[in-house]
Amino acid sequence: MTDRNQQLFDRAAQVIPGGVNSPVRAFRAVGGTPRFVQRAQGAYFWDANGQQYTDYIGSWGPMILGHGHPAVLEAVQKAALDGFSFGAPTEREIELAEEILKHVPSMEMVRLVSSGTEAGMSALRLARGATGRNKFIKFEGCYHGHADALLVKAGSGLATFGNPTSAGVPPEVVRDTLVLEYNNITALEEAFALHGKELACVMIEPIAGNMNFVRASVPFMQRCRELCTEHGALFVFDEVMTGFRVALGSAQSVYAQLIPGFKPDLTVLGKVIGGGMPLAAFGGPREIMRQLAPTGPVYQAGTLSGNPVATACGLATLKEIAKPGFWDALSARTQSLVDGLQGAAASAGVPFSADCQGGMFGFFLLPELPQNYAKVMTSDSPKFNKLFHGLLDGGVYIAPALYEAGFVSAAHTEADIAETVRVAADVFKTL
Ligand SMILES: *Cc1c(COP(=O)(O)O)cnc(C)c1O
């Protein structure tokens, strides 16, 4: 049989660098041929060979309702008939902004943009503009999009400034980026002691989904909040992945239940709020958000920002996930996947740990959940690659790299989960 996926990948490689428009899609980490998606419906998609897969990526998070949800589809079709883009304001932008603010009360105002990268980059600029400071802290293993100042890894030693992780990023651009170990309170305190008065912000993924699934510990989160407040730095939650994915109130609502009165200063959103369309946002208190152009000195703009079709898609998605019972059902489904995988791994004697929140999950081929990037990287990658391909051959599509989170949608049924666990149990026996 001719492999249409391989044919398309070869053809793509002639005109698109690496054959893909975002690197992880190329299967470099796991080897093999990327699946070219022909169409998707509910919890499944079909590749160019007509092979069906149960989808646990969901476009890396956005497809929380599954593919082709009827209410979302209708909203998008209706919006498209009224015009694709105007470069002038529309009522739906207000509706989406109001819907977001209703569920994430730390935000009083929000600006809509087109990608998580753009939102993260703009939030950083705003934090710097609002505080008049340049330096900021990020954590190793957290991804905040590919803006220059954020493509940085830790330098040598504690509390030193970082090195670029990409060619084309001048060292000067990351000179003010301080990269610390996630969940390390000592390093955090040391950094604030040295640089506290020069820090514009601390930027964090509250549940880090770009190193699979690692929660910020409650004491660590609490200390971040205290130190930011004490030193006049803004605490920026990058919830591009976790926003409207781990809970209706996003990850900050999960921490607010554990830490009374807890809230970040700025929040960055993406993925789910666009429901699969290019849409992202950042927001916070009025007095900070008014620092943005046109009311303030921090410039930020976008031709397609608040795009009418994207806002229709996002709004319809948020309306669905705000319905009673949605989160209980989604959380139960995700939990049953995690429990099932855990049981299957235990039966096969494979070291395994897993965690989940709402519709997001992660697992490691490690006996205990790691707390930082260095520990995540000790996960057995040859074994993961075997697991990945075993699942793929069995019609189960998870992220093609061990440092990525997974996603369950409302379209996944208990039968889908049971079938996935059955496939996984067979693969675990071969590891
Ligand atoms: C996906 C992601 C981004 C980047 O969003 P894009 O839309 O891919 O630019 C930023 N931060 C986090 C936490 C993400 O998961």
Side-chain angles (χ1 to χ4, degrees), residues 115-118 143-146 205 210 238-241 271:
S115 75
T117 290
E118 196 187 350
Y143 177 66
H144 304 296
H146 61 87
E205 277 186 82
N210 288 285
D238 182 348
E239 297 224 48
V240 172
M241 189 181 290
K271 297 192 170 111

Side-chain angles (χ1 to χ4, degrees), residues 97 100-101 107 109-114 119 122 126 267 269 273 279-284 289 292-295 298-302 305-306:
I100 291 170
L101 302 185
M107 300 162 78
M109 289 183 128
V110 62
R111 167 81 33 107
L112 303 180
V113 297
S114 301
S122 304
L126 176 60
T267 298
L269 295 166
I273 64 162
L279 198 153
F282 62 103
M289 292 304 287
L292 284 174
T295 42
V298 179
Y299 191 71
Q300 191 280 327
S305 291

Side-chain angles (χ1 to χ4, degrees), residues 140-141 210-212 214 364 366 370 372-381 401-404:
E140 201 174 14
N210 288 285
M211 48 175 161
N212 199 323
V214 183
F364 301 90
L366 293 170
N372 59 50
Y373 184 69
K375 282 274 163 53
V376 169
M377 286 295 124
T378 65
S379 201
D380 189 332
S381 79
L402 60 74
Y403 45 83
E404 305 286 353

Side-chain angles (χ1 to χ4, degrees), residues 128-174:
R128 284 170 154 173
T131 57
R133 302 170 178 187
N134 291 335
K135 296 188 193 325
F136 71 99
I137 289 173
K138 83 174 280 294
F139 299 100
E140 201 174 14
C142 290
Y143 177 66
H144 304 296
H146 61 87
D148 281 358
L150 292 161
L151 285 181
V152 52
K153 62 173 184 282
S156 53
L158 275 184
T160 57
F161 291 87
N163 301 312
T165 53
S166 167
V169 176
E172 304 86 81
V173 176
V174 298

Side-chain angles (χ1 to χ4, degrees), residues 5 12 16 55 73 103 123 167 175 217 274 287 312 338 372 385 388 397:
N5 292 309
I16 299 169
D55 180 11
L73 205 52
H103 300 300
R175 202 182 48 199
S217 76
E287 57 166 17
V338 163
N372 59 50
N385 294 350
F388 170 80
Y397 192 75

Side-chain angles (χ1 to χ4, degrees), residues 336-354 361-366 379-380 383-392 396 398 417-431:
S336 82
L337 174 68
V338 163
D339 291 347
L341 293 176
Q342 212 137 26
S347 302
V350 175
F352 189 86
S353 56
F361 69 92
F363 66 80
F364 301 90
L365 298 172
L366 293 170
S379 201
D380 189 332
K383 212 174 245 184
F384 172 83
N385 294 350
K386 234 175 129 182
L387 175 63
F388 170 80
H389 281 290
L391 291 173
L392 196 64
V396 175
I398 63 166
I417 303 285
E419 169 63 10
T420 295
V421 170
R422 193 193 59 73
V423 172
D426 284 345
V427 183
F428 280 132
K429 284 179 206 147
T430 69
L431 294 185

